[in-house]
Amino acid sequence: MKIAVLGGGPSGLYFAISMKLRDADHDITVYERNKFDDTFGWGVVLSDETISNFGENDLISEKMIRDNFAYWDDVKTVRGEETMTSGGHGFCGIGRKRLLLLLQERARDLGVKIEFEADIDDARIQELKDTNDLLVASDGLNSRTRSLYTEQFKPEIDLRRNHFVWLGTRQKFDDAFTFIFEKTEHGWIWAHAYQFDEEHATFIVECGPEVYERFGFDTLSQQDSIALCERIFAKHLGSHALMTNANHVRGSAWIRFPRVTCENWYFDNVVLLGDASATAHFSIGSGSKLGMESAIALADQLHQNKPLPEALTTYQEERKLEVIRVTSAARNSTQWFEEVERYLGLGMMQFNYSLLTRSQRISHENLRLRDPEWLASAEAWFQSSSGSNSTRRPMFVPYKLRDMELANRIVVSPMAQYKAKDGMPNNWHLTHYGERAKGGAGLVFTEMLCVSAQGRITPGCPGIYTSEQTAFWADLNEFVHEETPAKTCAQIGHAGRKGSTRRGWDGIDQPLEEGNWPLISASAIVLQDGNQMPKAMDRADMDLVREQFVASAKAADKAGFDMIEMHAAHGYLLASFISPVTNTRDDEYGGTVDNRMRFPLEVFNAMRSAWPEEKPMTVRISAHDWMGEAGVNPEDAVEIARLFKDAGADAINVSSGQTSKEEKPTYGRMFQVPFSDQVRNDLDVPTLVAGNIYEADHVNSILMAGRADLVLLARPHLANPYWTLHAAVELGDTEQQWPAPYEGGRRQADVLAERAREMA
């Protein structure tokens, strides 16, 4: 093949090398706009795992790179006068210029032609497309090729909020990858520092936009900006200066990170590679890794004896998924640094843990593999902060809300069963909730218990509005409290415009074929085509519904529930007042957040007054409607949660979505945790969180980092009512209490698990 590569960075050069290794007859020319030894970065970070992957592709270039690496195993966090170090992270650093020179040498040895100072304009790009079998656009995050063919690649560029400047220094940071946080008269500013050769270290300075403006970095020359950074970080730099290699840039050389994603990575015979197709934030150091690994994947696909379109299609489908995993982690890391002031008030141990797990790629047990001694000290801190001297995992730490004491932090999430008849629960519910209470969780939620027959979601939804229902729940609670250490919570709500629909397996949110009942909501807005129009509630409706919630709260107390939760999420009745998507009222209950919260707060206050003082009460909210600017967003959620906290809510159950059928949610592992994190740490209020959490590792990471206080698992408890007991066995925790009749099963499970660990 005749191939033109635009961009002589690591990904472009490594692609050319990889192609030549597979077929020396390829005619490959790399076009680079800069001189051979120009580079405007400092160090490149790669992991041991990445280098090993390179070795499988080309042992010669892998050895050339490895021989020039600076290695470190530790990550050090410095916050003011506090310092903490953890090990086992296994990073390698190399100077960007040195890496490029090595790759240039290897490429030339294999017969790749490299043209430096090549000014490639739009016309030349088109010419190279027409005169080559393949045009590889590895021309960086400001890719000219991507801009020329915008309609084909459909890029999105998200310019992130923080400002940073990429500097170097001769100060040694050869003992650890070092994060330095300094509090100044203008706010917090921090540095990412790491050694990359015997004489130099990268020193990236970063801060939020407010601090950037207060310091006036936007008005300073490069030298004045550098001098200011030297003063801020003087005690860490010793007598060493900070240096720039971006003298070609006007001004201070501070920039904001552009997060690049593209819908398409190729069209015709043009393919994007490296930062041109997707960028990963420097805080996880994976930009060069992604580009070079993508180069290997592209070369592999081009040598599968496939037609070019098929090869490029497969490359995009397979490689894009892996890149999304890394860039999603990079997005998490980026957001953590953008919101770092939220965490800087945490204790040093928890702050350091939060920093290490910020991308969600490093989990709790992964940290144990890296540095078991450090993690043991972190777990001991978490236990002691809760008044315990146990050595158990965070998920097994007790928790207290008012007078309710939970044995652990695991919660069985509310899950609709659709098995009630005319609002009346039955033996299904007794068995379902009883089994999960025996399963070891500290707290068991009911599904939403409706406050009236008209407040049900479906004919299969149970209520707590009759004496018969209350008696049933009392029997359930008696069993749970006599036979298990679990506590119970009644989630109380009203379906609103989402009522009078079929059971989940018969067509979720679809109207009943017959027997419909009238609906009410904040505004007369239909859920979807085919559903009935709800009545916009008037004051009489509000009075009636408020008293129904109060009556249900009193019934929950009579039934022996340990806690209640007011359901004000997911588009149900109270949530319909909170969200501007479903509340278009022009009276005192519509418009501003304060107005939209007026009726939900009225209901909450009435319920709280009717509920015993010693028992906790929480509220579930939707922290994100996934409706863009039209709906509630996480910033709004903080204010909504604040109002409930001020009214006396003991904790906020942070959920999202299900407000409108037009929502566009972004799902993923632990996808609601950032919302809980924001509410908890901005307001200093306990939070509960659910949302694609299914491993003990997830739970422990969330708790240790201070992103929530209680963790709800739904589907895992549907699949396994004894999830907590089995998780303890898998973790080697022998202190977990099992029901006495099941003790033989526990002993066997422990023996088998220990045997499996020994064999592994």
Side-chain angles (χ1 to χ4, degrees), residues 81-264:
E81 301 302 318
E82 300 174 282
T83 300
M84 185 169 287
T85 302
S86 67
H89 301 285
F91 287 107
C92 319
I94 186 172
R96 181 175 172 84
K97 181 184 291 188
R98 185 61 182 154
L99 176 62
L100 291 177
L101 292 175
L102 292 172
L103 293 177
Q104 290 169 15
E105 178 184 345
R106 179 60 173 150
R108 285 197 192 91
D109 289 346
L110 291 170
V112 176
K113 298 183 288 291
I114 307 176
E115 293 188 13
F116 294 101
E117 299 182 74
D119 186 15
I120 307 295
D121 59 13
D122 291 356
R124 180 68 167 138
I125 293 173
Q126 184 63 50
E127 178 188 342
L128 290 171
K129 176 183 182 299
D130 295 339
T131 57
N132 284 269
D133 298 311
L134 181 67
L135 177 61
V136 178
S138 183
D139 46 353
L141 59 86
N142 295 313
S143 170
R144 188 161 193 166
T145 310
R146 188 185 65 225
S147 298
L148 177 61
Y149 300 118
T150 295
E151 292 185 6
Q152 289 81 8
F153 292 123
K154 298 181 180 178
E156 290 188 8
I157 301 176
D158 176 17
L159 197 60
R160 303 304 305 178
R161 72 186 298 271
N162 280 3
H163 295 260
F164 69 96
V165 60
W166 204 294
L167 303 171
T169 180
R170 288 190 172 87
Q171 166 69 309
K172 292 276 188 175
F173 287 98
D174 55 358
D175 59 338
F177 192 116
T178 305
F179 295 100
I180 304 168
F181 297 86
E182 283 294 327
K183 189 172 186 179
T184 72
E185 67 274 21
H186 295 308
W188 287 92
I189 187 168
W190 54 94
H192 314 240
Y194 58 91
Q195 200 80 12
F196 63 80
D197 64 27
E198 292 182 355
E199 297 181 358
H200 300 93
T202 297
F203 199 87
I204 304 170
V205 181
E206 183 182 8
C207 62
E210 299 83 6
V211 174
Y212 175 80
E213 292 174 4
R214 291 175 198 143
F215 270 115
F217 281 119
D218 55 330
T219 65
L220 298 178
S221 67
Q222 278 200 62
Q223 292 309 313
D224 288 342
S225 174
I226 290 172
L228 179 52
C229 290
E230 287 173 346
R231 290 197 295 273
I232 293 170
F233 295 100
K235 66 182 179 183
H236 307 285
L237 294 169
S239 59
H240 295 280
L242 290 173
M243 304 176 291
T244 181
N245 56 13
N247 290 312
H248 63 294
V249 177
R250 292 184 178 182
S252 64
W254 286 73
I255 57 176
R256 292 160 61 196
F257 183 80
R259 182 173 185 266
V260 176
T261 55
C262 293
E263 183 175 327
N264 301 314

Side-chain angles (χ1 to χ4, degrees), residues 626-678:
W626 304 109
M627 293 285 290
E629 295 181 1
V632 169
N633 60 45
E635 288 68 37
D636 299 325
V638 172
E639 177 60 17
I640 291 165
R642 184 189 67 77
L643 291 169
F644 279 125
K645 176 192 175 186
D646 291 347
D650 295 291
I652 306 297
N653 190 342
V654 183
S655 190
S656 70
Q658 303 180 50
T659 299
S660 168
K661 292 298 182 180
E662 297 177 8
E663 67 178 4
K664 295 181 179 179
T666 301
Y667 294 125
R669 185 166 51 95
M670 300 185 283
F671 72 101
Q672 291 178 158
V673 170
F675 310 143
S676 168
D677 188 339
Q678 185 170 359

